[in-house]
Amino acid sequence: MIPAKNTTVDCSRCGNQVPKRLAIRIHQCNKCNLILNRDHNASINILNKGLNQLPQELRKVTLVEMSETFMKQENVTGLV
Ligand SMILES: [Zn+2]
């Protein structure tokens, strides 16, 4: 379980706490100037918290790294 506490307050980019009332639908960080939909920012925070709970070996491979690995493999087969 991921606690939802602070997920709407924390900036998903820099971790700065941006308190906001429920009526405010936009997350606007005064530190890194990130502007996101409030729920979008919260969902990124929840995703990050979830990833932090994964075992180390699963955490190594992110989506970006997976696509990079895939591209390298394509290059190798292209050379052969
Ligand atoms: Zn920020």
Side-chain angles (χ1 to χ4, degrees):
M1 261 302 283
I2 314 293
K5 192 173 181 291
N6 280 351
T7 50
T8 58
V9 175
D10 293 345
C11 175
S12 59
R13 185 192 278 169
C14 73
N16 183 34
Q17 297 214 319
V18 187
K20 55 181 84 66
R21 280 172 294 127
L22 207 61
I24 299 172
R25 305 307 302 166
I26 298 291
H27 168 87
Q28 183 166 11
C29 180
N30 55 14
K31 205 170 178 182
C32 70
N33 294 323
L34 176 70
I35 298 176
L36 270 184
N37 179 288
R38 172 204 180 99
D39 295 330
H40 189 179
N41 179 63
S43 67
I44 294 171
N45 281 332
I46 292 168
L47 179 66
N48 285 336
K49 280 174 201 266
L51 289 175
N52 284 338
Q53 289 184 349
L54 287 176
Q56 190 72 42
E57 63 268 22
L58 287 176
R59 234 187 292 165
K60 280 181 199 160
V61 182
T62 62
L63 279 177
V64 175
E65 283 164 349
M66 277 168 72
S67 62
E68 278 173 357
T69 306
F70 181 70
M71 280 165 70
K72 276 177 200 154
Q73 284 170 348
E74 269 196 330
N75 285 342
V76 169
T77 46
L79 288 170
V80 172

